[in-house]
């Protein structure tokens, strides 16, 4: 197993300060940075800018009163974690001096005038704008699917509170029910997450409705850590989880809101509950203002994370094409940190430092049984490319898997503490 040195986030913030030479911009007048999105990427960028001690006004725009993590939401389905533990208040961030917090949605960006228009009617001007809106869905890519169809076929895949209807439907299932999960093609948010979700649903069913079954219809023929998930499923859940790859009929064609059925590779299937995870793209605001290209994701400079389509606007988190980096909370924090530092450097007239990026994701397959995958990355030829990777090995002992599960819990606690604490 190749290991990477995980940079401590606090150390990261300290070094962000030194990357910015502790110089102040007050001589040139107070600069304004506006950040759209109070998620993992946006908050990390805001905190990094503040840690730089530059005289910069930082304003975060976020419509929700609090943040609910998608990460760890699978554990709520299993009953390993309570639902309320996913909720985090913005209270501490709002109290931070020099962060102005605006509870609103950014509706439009006028790049020519360097202003953002908000749902409240207010207009904010910026010297640099950071856009971190997370993902949106390509609803029309699935015949019959729409925003209203998502009530019948919950995706539970953008913000964490969407886990509620999925959990309620799971609890209401009869013993012996069939539950389908449809997984889109890459790229999508946190590629291994649907497989952790299947594991956590199977854990719930095994303990409460043991005659039930989970079938995963996949638009791909492989998934990360597949040769570690599949044997673990067999061991912990017997034949309760079935995975159907694309070449064996896994690709979802359509959903039917009239009777709750789904059509997969031409066959009509009627599960008691279908968790349809639609194909994805950058969050709406990025598309509306032309920050995304035809892939649906936002192309950015690999060093500064400035948009290659619109100057003075940086895009971070799941909304970007991050090259070899996966779309994860850990990646979003790494991108937020690099972006905050780069924006500070631009504002004091320095060139951004060539960054290192990192990612580490943990997944729970069963009680005390965790898997991990991640790596370090760097800019090369305009892309973010992999430097070193690591992952749980095939055939690890139970004690190693238990330690990984603990590491995952620690990662969640430390990450949320650093963001919201
Ligand atoms: C089931 C599941 C499990 C996962 N597990 C893991 C895991 O184990 N480890 C891991 O690292 N990652 C995991 N992830 C991925 C992780 O949740 C995302 O990668 C991460 O949240 C991305 O951060 P972000 O800042 O890009 O977007 P988000 O965290 O989604 O934040 C985007 C924010 O922008 C706001 N916003 C959107 N549009 C606007 C607008 N117009 N104006 C103002 N604000 C706006 C939203 O309200 C939101 O608060 C998981 C995801 C899912 C779905």
């Amino acid at each position: 197993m190749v290991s990477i040195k995980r940079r401590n986030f606090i150390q990261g913030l300290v070094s962000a300060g030194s990357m910015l030479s502790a110089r102040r911009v007050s001589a040139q007048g107070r600069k304004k940075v506006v950040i759209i999105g109070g998620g993992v990427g946006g908050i990390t960028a805001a905190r990094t800018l503040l840690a730089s001690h530059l005289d910069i006004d930082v304003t975060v725009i976020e419509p929700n009163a609090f943040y609910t993590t998608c990460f760890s939401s699978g554990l709520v389905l299993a009953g390993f974690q309570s639902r309320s533990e996913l909720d985090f208040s913005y209270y501490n961030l709002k109290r931070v001096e020099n962060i102005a917090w605006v509870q609103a949605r950014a509706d439009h960006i006028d790049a020519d005038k360097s202003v953002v228009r908000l749902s409240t009617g207010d207009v904010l001007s910026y010297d640099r704008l950071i856009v971190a809106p997370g993902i949106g869905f390509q609803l029309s890519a699935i015949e019959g699917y729409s925003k209203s169809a998502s009530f019948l076929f919950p995706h539970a895949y953008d913000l964490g509170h969407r886990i509620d209807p999925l959990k309620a439907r799971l609890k209401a299932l009869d013993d012996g029910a069939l539950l389908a999960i449809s997984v889109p093609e890459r790229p999508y948010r946190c590629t291994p997450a649907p497989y952790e979700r299947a594991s956590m649903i199977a854990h719930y069913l095994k303990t409460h409705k043991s005659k039930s079954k989970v079938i995963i219809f996949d638009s791909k023929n492989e998934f990360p850590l597949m040769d570690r998930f599949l044997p673990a499923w067999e061991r912990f859940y017997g034949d309760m989880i079935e995975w159907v790859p694309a070449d064996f009929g896994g690709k979802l064609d359509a959903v039917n809101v009239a009777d709750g059925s789904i059509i997969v590779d031409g066959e009509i299937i009627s599960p008691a509950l279908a968790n349809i995870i639609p194909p994805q793209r950058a969050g709406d605001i990025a598309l509306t203002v032309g920050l995304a290209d035809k892939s649906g994701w936002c192309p950015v400079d690999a060093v500064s994370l400035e948009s290659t389509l619109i100057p003075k606007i940086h895009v971070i988190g799941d909304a970007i094409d991050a090259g070899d980096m996966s779309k994860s909370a850990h990646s979003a924090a790494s991108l937020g940190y690099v972006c905050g530092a780069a924006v500070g450097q631009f504002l004091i007239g320095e060139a951004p430092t060539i960054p290192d990026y990192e990612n580490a994701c943990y997944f729970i397959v069963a009680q005390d049984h965790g898997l991990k995958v991640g790596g370090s990355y760097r800019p090369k030829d305009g892309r973010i490319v992999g430097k070193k990777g690591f992952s749980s090995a095939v055939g690890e002992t139970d004690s190693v898997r238990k330690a990984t599960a603990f590491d995952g819990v620690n990662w969640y606690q430390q990450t949320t503490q650093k963001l919201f604490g």
Side-chain angles (χ1 to χ4, degrees):
M1 183 176 68
V2 183
S3 70
I4 61 156
K5 187 169 163 279
R6 284 180 60 193
R7 183 195 294 134
N8 178 290
F9 183 78
I10 297 299
Q11 284 168 353
L13 293 182
V14 171
S15 59
S18 57
M19 277 169 87
L20 293 163
S21 317
R23 270 210 271 143
R24 294 177 167 260
V25 290
S26 48
Q28 303 148 12
R30 243 179 126 76
K31 302 284 184 183
K32 291 181 190 151
V33 176
V34 172
I35 300 176
I36 298 177
V40 182
I43 293 173
T44 309
R47 284 195 178 277
T48 305
L49 277 162
L50 291 174
S52 71
H53 305 297
L54 296 171
D55 282 340
I56 296 175
D57 288 330
V58 178
T59 304
V60 178
I61 306 163
E62 166 60 49
N64 295 310
F66 53 89
Y67 186 79
T68 308
T69 63
C70 305
F71 38 111
S72 231
S73 61
L75 276 64
V76 172
L77 296 175
F80 291 157
Q81 192 170 332
S82 75
R83 167 61 184 80
S84 61
E85 286 176 280
L86 302 180
D87 288 337
F88 293 89
S89 164
Y90 289 124
Y91 178 76
N92 287 334
L93 282 154
K94 287 178 183 169
R95 287 173 60 228
V96 174
E97 208 185 330
N98 293 338
I99 290 193
W101 197 271
V102 181
Q103 192 174 343
R105 194 182 57 245
D107 280 341
H108 186 66
I109 300 164
D110 186 333
D112 292 334
K113 296 188 177 133
S114 297
V115 294
V116 182
R117 292 180 201 287
L118 309 188
S119 50
T120 50
D122 293 324
V123 176
L124 296 178
S125 63
Y126 63 81
D127 293 289
R128 290 266 162 181
L129 176 65
I130 299 174
V131 180
I135 56 162
F137 295 105
Q138 299 179 33
L139 300 180
S140 59
I142 302 168
E143 196 185 320
Y145 201 80
S146 62
K147 208 167 178 181
S148 58
S150 70
F151 291 102
L152 184 59
F153 303 102
H155 55 70
Y157 221 77
D158 50 359
L159 295 174
H161 65 268
R162 304 255 200 221
I163 205 72
D164 296 342
L166 183 61
K167 174 136 182 147
R169 294 276 301 280
L170 184 63
K171 282 175 86 173
L173 289 180
D174 292 332
D175 196 1
L178 175 67
L179 187 151
I181 300 176
S182 160
V183 185
E185 284 175 38
R186 294 168 192 253
Y188 61 89
R189 166 172 274 184
C190 198
T191 321
Y195 311 97
E196 179 188 61
R197 177 176 286 176
S199 313
M200 296 297 87
I201 287 174
H203 175 88
Y204 171 80
L205 294 175
K206 188 178 159 183
T207 36
H208 295 87
K209 297 160 192 199
S210 60
K211 287 183 266 172
S212 305
K213 190 165 168 155
V214 180
I215 182 160
I216 305 169
F217 294 110
D218 211 323
S219 302
K220 312 184 296 305
N221 286 312
E222 48 64 48
F223 61 89
L225 302 168
M226 178 175 148
D227 52 358
R228 282 135 282 186
F229 269 104
L230 294 176
W233 284 346
E234 199 177 337
R235 173 179 167 194
F236 291 107
Y237 307 117
D239 60 1
M240 189 175 248
I241 303 179
E242 184 184 349
W243 175 63
V244 186
D247 284 355
F248 289 82
K251 199 159 171 23
L252 179 74
D253 299 324
V255 298
N256 187 347
V257 283
D259 61 5
S261 65
I262 60 177
I263 301 171
V264 188
D265 203 28
E267 195 187 337
I268 300 174
I269 295 161
S270 299
L273 170 58
N275 169 214
I276 305 294
I277 305 170
Q280 295 162 29
R281 54 163 176 76
D284 290 347
I285 184 80
L287 263 77
T288 315
V289 301
L291 285 164
D293 63 18
K294 61 178 191 266
S295 72
W297 305 103
C298 303
V300 292
D301 175 76
V303 173
S304 66
L305 305 172
E306 183 170 2
S307 166
T308 56
L309 301 177
I310 309 181
K312 297 195 177 166
I313 302 182
H314 300 247
V315 194
I316 53 172
D318 285 357
I320 68 165
D321 171 359
D324 294 346
M325 264 176 108
S326 57
K327 299 183 185 300
S328 75
H330 200 118
S331 297
S334 184
L335 293 159
Y337 160 72
V338 168
C339 181
V343 164
Q345 286 178 302
F346 277 126
L347 293 178
I348 58 172
E350 287 183 359
T353 308
I354 306 293
D356 284 318
Y357 297 99
E358 61 180 35
N359 181 36
C361 287
Y362 299 86
F363 302 98
I364 305 299
V365 188
Q367 181 101 53
D368 292 335
H369 198 96
L371 296 174
K372 66 183 171 188
V373 64
S376 57
Y377 310 82
R378 68 192 166 95
K380 190 178 173 214
D381 303 329
R383 284 188 79 241
I384 299 176
V385 298
K387 225 164 54 171
K388 275 186 182 174
F390 68 91
S391 64
S392 296
V394 173
E396 285 173 337
T397 61
D398 281 354
S399 62
V400 170
R401 293 280 165 93
K402 186 173 179 173
T404 304
F406 277 177
D407 287 348
V409 171
N410 283 337
W411 171 84
Y412 182 81
Q413 285 169 351
Q414 286 172 14
T415 300
T416 50
Q417 169 66 25
K418 286 163 195 163
L419 289 167
F420 303 101

